[in-house]
Amino acid sequence: DAKTTQPNSMESNEEEPVHLPCNHSTISGTDYIHWYRQLPSQGPEYVIHGLTSNVNNRMASLAIAEDRKSSTLILHRATLRDAAVYYCILRPPRNTGNQFYFGTGTSLTVIP
Amino acid sequence: KAGVTQTPRYLIKTRGQQVTLSCSPISGHRSVSWYQQTPGQGLQFLFEYFSETQRNKGNFPGRFSGRQFSNSRSEMNVSTLELGDSALYLCASSGLAEETQYFGPGTRLLVL
């Protein structure tokens, strides 16, 4: 199982950008990098994913290092609703299945 | 489109009993994955079903089993319940052309 390493917790002030790091030094060439978040008492929710290039969507941006051994999830303006546990996951090619191996994630606290 | 639904949402059982949990995926999705979430072990992959066949399996004992029906609905069964089986059980579905998984709200199982 491909492994990811994330800080256990981070804090951010409301309306400021947040950079959530993830190390994945054992990533293979075909693994996608996925980010999910889990709000209290809910199932995980998709945030963003990418393979090699940086990605943007309405929720966040994903910056992927050139060697793909690390990535950073960027929330451009943190809101109180962004307080959640954020998981960085390496996903093998879809044709091999849909199993996700979650790490321990980063618990993000947003300070008003 | 309706999201992933799981029933029941809460369940209390005693040791030695067996339990069946149900998951209805998003309409059109043929892949259903199951996960167990506990405070100690985090989110762990149980198994995945695709078109009524188990495609992948995590590292859980044989007491944990599942199946998928022709309408893609899935059930998971845990026999001879142990105290350590108390957890949030999450199901996720995915479409053929999608990289993402969509999670349900989970079934919280308490074993006494």
Coordinates of all heavy atoms in Angstrom, one line a residue, chain B residues 4-51:
Chain B
V4 N -25.1 8.7 -2.1 CA -25.0 7.3 -1.5 C -25.8 7.3 -0.2 O -25.6 8.1 0.6 CB -23.5 7.0 -1.3 CG1 -23.4 5.6 -0.6 CG2 -22.7 7.1 -2.6
T5 N -26.6 6.3 -0.1 CA -27.4 6.1 1.1 C -27.0 4.8 1.8 O -26.7 3.8 1.2 CB -28.9 6.1 0.8 OG1 -29.2 5.1 -0.1 CG2 -29.3 7.4 0.2
Q6 N -27.0 4.9 3.1 CA -26.6 3.7 3.9 C -27.7 3.5 5.0 O -28.2 4.5 5.6 CB -25.3 3.9 4.6 CG -24.1 3.9 3.6 CD -22.8 4.0 4.3 OE1 -22.0 4.9 4.2 NE2 -22.5 2.9 5.0
T7 N -28.0 2.3 5.2 CA -29.0 1.9 6.2 C -28.5 0.7 7.0 O -27.9 -0.2 6.4 CB -30.4 1.6 5.6 OG1 -30.3 0.6 4.7 CG2 -31.0 2.9 5.0
P8 N -28.8 0.6 8.3 CA -29.3 1.7 9.1 C -28.2 2.7 9.4 O -27.1 2.5 9.1 CB -29.8 1.0 10.4 CG -28.8 -0.1 10.5 CD -28.6 -0.6 9.1
R9 N -28.6 3.9 10.0 CA -27.5 4.8 10.3 C -26.9 4.5 11.7 O -25.7 4.8 11.9 CB -28.2 6.2 10.4 CG -28.6 6.8 9.1 CD -27.5 7.1 8.2 NE -26.4 7.8 8.8 CZ -26.4 9.1 9.0 NH1 -27.4 9.9 8.5 NH2 -25.4 9.8 9.5
Y10 N -27.6 3.9 12.6 CA -27.1 3.5 13.9 C -27.6 2.1 14.2 O -28.7 1.7 13.9 CB -27.6 4.5 15.0 CG -27.2 5.9 14.7 CD1 -28.1 6.8 14.0 CD2 -25.9 6.4 15.1 CE1 -27.7 8.1 13.7 CE2 -25.6 7.7 14.8 CZ -26.5 8.5 14.1 OH -26.1 9.8 13.9
L11 N -26.7 1.4 14.9 CA -27.0 0.0 15.2 C -26.3 -0.4 16.5 O -25.1 -0.1 16.7 CB -26.5 -0.9 14.1 CG -27.1 -2.2 13.8 CD1 -28.7 -2.2 13.7 CD2 -26.6 -2.7 12.4
I12 N -27.0 -1.1 17.4 CA -26.4 -1.6 18.6 C -26.6 -3.1 18.6 O -27.7 -3.6 18.4 CB -27.0 -1.0 19.9 CG1 -26.8 0.5 19.9 CG2 -26.4 -1.7 21.1 CD1 -27.5 1.2 21.1
K13 N -25.5 -3.9 18.8 CA -25.5 -5.3 18.8 C -24.7 -5.8 20.0 O -24.0 -5.0 20.6 CB -24.9 -5.9 17.5 CG -25.8 -5.6 16.2 CD -27.0 -6.5 16.2 CE -27.7 -6.5 14.9 NZ -28.9 -7.4 14.8
T14 N -24.9 -7.1 20.3 CA -24.1 -7.7 21.4 C -23.1 -8.6 20.8 O -23.2 -9.1 19.6 CB -24.9 -8.4 22.4 OG1 -25.7 -9.3 21.7 CG2 -25.8 -7.4 23.1
R15 N -22.0 -8.9 21.5 CA -21.0 -9.8 21.1 C -21.5 -11.1 20.6 O -22.5 -11.7 21.3 CB -20.0 -10.0 22.2 CG -18.9 -9.0 22.3 CD -17.9 -9.3 23.4 NE -18.6 -9.4 24.7 CZ -18.0 -9.8 25.8 NH1 -16.7 -10.2 25.8 NH2 -18.7 -9.9 27.0
G16 N -21.0 -11.7 19.6 CA -21.5 -13.0 19.1 C -22.6 -12.9 18.0 O -22.8 -13.8 17.3
Q17 N -23.3 -11.8 18.0 CA -24.3 -11.6 17.0 C -23.7 -11.3 15.6 O -22.5 -11.1 15.5 CB -25.3 -10.5 17.4 CG -26.2 -10.8 18.6 CD -27.2 -9.7 18.8 OE1 -26.9 -8.5 18.9 NE2 -28.5 -10.1 18.9
Q18 N -24.6 -11.3 14.6 CA -24.1 -10.9 13.3 C -25.0 -9.7 12.8 O -26.0 -9.4 13.4 CB -24.3 -12.1 12.3 CG -25.7 -12.5 12.1 CD -26.1 -12.1 10.7 OE1 -25.3 -11.9 9.8 NE2 -27.5 -12.0 10.5
V19 N -24.4 -9.0 11.9 CA -25.1 -7.8 11.4 C -24.9 -7.6 9.9 O -23.9 -8.1 9.3 CB -24.5 -6.5 12.2 CG1 -23.0 -6.3 11.7 CG2 -25.3 -5.3 11.9
T20 N -25.9 -7.0 9.3 CA -25.9 -6.8 7.9 C -26.2 -5.3 7.7 O -27.1 -4.7 8.2 CB -27.0 -7.6 7.1 OG1 -26.7 -9.0 7.3 CG2 -26.9 -7.3 5.6
L21 N -25.3 -4.7 6.9 CA -25.4 -3.2 6.6 C -25.7 -3.1 5.1 O -25.2 -3.9 4.3 CB -24.1 -2.5 7.0 CG -23.5 -2.7 8.4 CD1 -22.3 -1.9 8.6 CD2 -24.6 -2.5 9.4
S22 N -26.4 -2.1 4.7 CA -26.8 -1.9 3.4 C -26.3 -0.6 2.8 O -26.2 0.4 3.5 CB -28.3 -2.0 3.2 OG -28.7 -1.8 1.9
C23 N -26.0 -0.6 1.5 CA -25.5 0.6 0.8 C -26.1 0.7 -0.6 O -26.1 -0.3 -1.3 CB -24.0 0.5 0.7 SG -23.3 1.8 -0.4
S24 N -26.7 1.8 -0.9 CA -27.3 2.1 -2.2 C -26.4 3.1 -2.9 O -26.3 4.3 -2.4 CB -28.7 2.6 -2.1 OG -29.6 1.5 -1.7
P25 N -25.7 2.8 -3.9 CA -24.8 3.7 -4.6 C -25.6 4.8 -5.4 O -26.8 4.7 -5.6 CB -24.0 2.8 -5.5 CG -24.9 1.7 -5.9 CD -25.8 1.5 -4.6
I26 N -24.9 5.7 -5.9 CA -25.4 6.7 -6.8 C -25.9 6.0 -8.0 O -25.2 5.1 -8.5 CB -24.4 7.8 -7.1 CG1 -24.1 8.7 -5.9 CG2 -24.8 8.7 -8.3 CD1 -23.0 9.6 -6.0
S27 N -27.0 6.4 -8.6 CA -27.6 5.8 -9.7 C -26.6 5.7 -10.9 O -25.9 6.8 -11.2 CB -28.8 6.6 -10.2 OG -29.4 6.0 -11.3
G28 N -26.4 4.6 -11.4 CA -25.4 4.4 -12.6 C -24.0 4.0 -12.1 O -23.2 3.5 -13.0
H29 N -23.7 4.1 -10.8 CA -22.4 3.6 -10.3 C -22.4 2.1 -10.1 O -23.3 1.6 -9.5 CB -22.1 4.3 -9.0 CG -21.7 5.8 -9.2 ND1 -21.2 6.5 -8.1 CD2 -21.7 6.6 -10.3 CE1 -20.9 7.7 -8.6 NE2 -21.2 7.8 -9.9
R30 N -21.4 1.5 -10.6 CA -21.3 0.0 -10.5 C -20.2 -0.4 -9.5 O -20.2 -1.6 -9.1 CB -21.0 -0.6 -11.9 CG -22.2 -0.5 -12.8 CD -21.8 -0.7 -14.2 NE -21.2 -1.9 -14.5 CZ -20.6 -2.3 -15.7 NH1 -20.5 -1.4 -16.6 NH2 -20.0 -3.4 -15.8
S31 N -19.4 0.5 -9.0 CA -18.4 0.1 -8.0 C -18.8 0.6 -6.7 O -19.2 1.7 -6.5 CB -17.1 0.8 -8.4 OG -16.2 0.7 -7.3
V32 N -18.8 -0.3 -5.7 CA -19.1 0.0 -4.3 C -17.9 -0.5 -3.4 O -17.5 -1.7 -3.5 CB -20.4 -0.6 -3.8 CG1 -20.6 -0.4 -2.3 CG2 -21.6 -0.1 -4.6
S33 N -17.4 0.4 -2.6 CA -16.3 0.1 -1.7 C -16.8 0.3 -0.3 O -17.6 1.1 0.0 CB -15.1 0.9 -2.0 OG -14.6 0.8 -3.3
W34 N -16.3 -0.5 0.6 CA -16.6 -0.4 2.0 C -15.3 -0.1 2.8 O -14.2 -0.7 2.5 CB -17.2 -1.8 2.5 CG -18.6 -2.0 2.0 CD1 -19.0 -2.7 0.9 CD2 -19.8 -1.7 2.7 NE1 -20.3 -2.7 0.8 CE2 -20.9 -2.1 1.9 CE3 -20.1 -1.0 3.9 CZ2 -22.2 -2.0 2.2 CZ3 -21.4 -0.8 4.2 CH2 -22.5 -1.3 3.4
Y35 N -15.5 0.7 3.9 CA -14.4 1.1 4.7 C -14.9 1.0 6.2 O -16.1 1.2 6.5 CB -14.0 2.5 4.5 CG -13.4 2.7 3.1 CD1 -14.2 3.0 2.0 CD2 -12.0 2.7 2.9 CE1 -13.7 3.2 0.7 CE2 -11.5 2.9 1.6 CZ -12.3 3.1 0.5 OH -11.8 3.3 -0.7
Q36 N -13.9 0.7 7.1 CA -14.2 0.8 8.5 C -13.4 1.9 9.1 O -12.2 2.1 8.8 CB -13.7 -0.5 9.2 CG -14.0 -0.6 10.7 CD -13.2 -1.7 11.4 OE1 -12.0 -1.6 11.4 NE2 -13.9 -2.7 11.9
Q37 N -14.0 2.7 9.9 CA -13.3 3.9 10.6 C -13.4 3.7 12.1 O -14.5 3.7 12.6 CB -13.9 5.2 10.1 CG -13.1 6.4 10.7 CD -13.5 7.7 10.1 OE1 -14.7 7.9 9.7 NE2 -12.6 8.6 10.0
T38 N -12.3 3.6 12.7 CA -12.2 3.6 14.2 C -11.2 4.7 14.7 O -10.3 5.0 13.9 CB -11.8 2.2 14.7 OG1 -10.5 2.0 14.2 CG2 -12.7 1.1 14.3
P39 N -11.4 5.1 15.9 CA -10.4 6.1 16.4 C -9.0 5.6 16.4 O -8.1 6.4 16.1 CB -10.9 6.4 17.8 CG -12.4 6.0 17.8 CD -12.5 4.9 16.9
G40 N -8.8 4.4 16.7 CA -7.4 3.8 16.8 C -6.8 3.5 15.4 O -5.6 3.8 15.2
Q41 N -7.5 3.0 14.5 CA -7.0 2.5 13.2 C -7.3 3.5 12.0 O -6.8 3.3 10.9 CB -7.5 1.1 12.9 CG -7.1 0.1 13.9 CD -5.7 -0.1 13.9 OE1 -5.0 -0.2 12.9 NE2 -5.1 -0.3 15.1
G42 N -8.1 4.5 12.3 CA -8.5 5.4 11.2 C -9.4 4.7 10.2 O -10.1 3.8 10.5
L43 N -9.3 5.2 8.9 CA -10.1 4.6 7.8 C -9.4 3.5 7.2 O -8.3 3.7 6.6 CB -10.4 5.7 6.8 CG -11.6 6.5 6.9 CD1 -11.4 7.9 6.2 CD2 -12.8 5.8 6.3
Q44 N -10.0 2.3 7.2 CA -9.4 1.1 6.5 C -10.3 0.5 5.5 O -11.5 0.4 5.7 CB -9.1 0.1 7.6 CG -8.0 0.6 8.6 CD -7.6 -0.6 9.5 OE1 -8.3 -0.9 10.5 NE2 -6.5 -1.2 9.3
F45 N -9.7 0.2 4.4 CA -10.4 -0.4 3.3 C -10.8 -1.9 3.6 O -9.9 -2.6 4.0 CB -9.5 -0.4 2.0 CG -10.0 -1.1 0.8 CD1 -11.1 -0.6 0.1 CD2 -9.5 -2.3 0.5 CE1 -11.6 -1.3 -1.0 CE2 -9.9 -3.0 -0.6 CZ -11.0 -2.5 -1.4
L46 N -12.1 -2.2 3.4 CA -12.6 -3.5 3.6 C -12.6 -4.3 2.3 O -11.9 -5.4 2.2 CB -14.0 -3.5 4.2 CG -14.1 -3.3 5.7 CD1 -15.4 -2.7 6.1 CD2 -13.9 -4.6 6.5
F47 N -13.4 -3.9 1.4 CA -13.5 -4.6 0.1 C -14.2 -3.7 -0.9 O -14.9 -2.8 -0.5 CB -14.1 -6.0 0.2 CG -15.2 -6.1 1.2 CD1 -16.4 -5.4 1.2 CD2 -15.0 -7.0 2.3 CE1 -17.4 -5.6 2.1 CE2 -16.0 -7.2 3.2 CZ -17.1 -6.5 3.2
E48 N -14.1 -4.1 -2.2 CA -14.7 -3.4 -3.2 C -15.5 -4.4 -4.1 O -14.9 -5.5 -4.4 CB -13.7 -2.6 -4.1 CG -14.4 -1.9 -5.2 CD -13.6 -1.7 -6.5 OE1 -12.5 -2.2 -6.5 OE2 -14.1 -1.1 -7.5
Y49 N -16.7 -4.0 -4.5 CA -17.4 -4.8 -5.5 C -17.7 -4.0 -6.8 O -17.9 -2.8 -6.7 CB -18.8 -5.2 -4.9 CG -18.6 -6.4 -3.9 CD1 -18.3 -6.1 -2.5 CD2 -18.7 -7.7 -4.2 CE1 -18.1 -7.1 -1.6 CE2 -18.5 -8.7 -3.3 CZ -18.2 -8.4 -2.0 OH -18.0 -9.4 -1.1
F50 N -17.6 -4.7 -7.8 CA -17.8 -4.1 -9.2 C -18.6 -5.2 -10.0 O -18.1 -6.3 -10.2 CB -16.5 -3.8 -9.8 CG -16.7 -3.2 -11.2 CD1 -17.0 -1.8 -11.3 CD2 -16.5 -3.9 -12.3 CE1 -17.2 -1.3 -12.6 CE2 -16.6 -3.4 -13.6 CZ -17.0 -2.0 -13.7
S51 N -19.7 -4.7 -10.5 CA -20.6 -5.6 -11.3 C -20.8 -7.0 -10.6 O -20.6 -8.0 -11.2 CB -20.0 -5.8 -12.7 OG -20.1 -4.6 -13.4

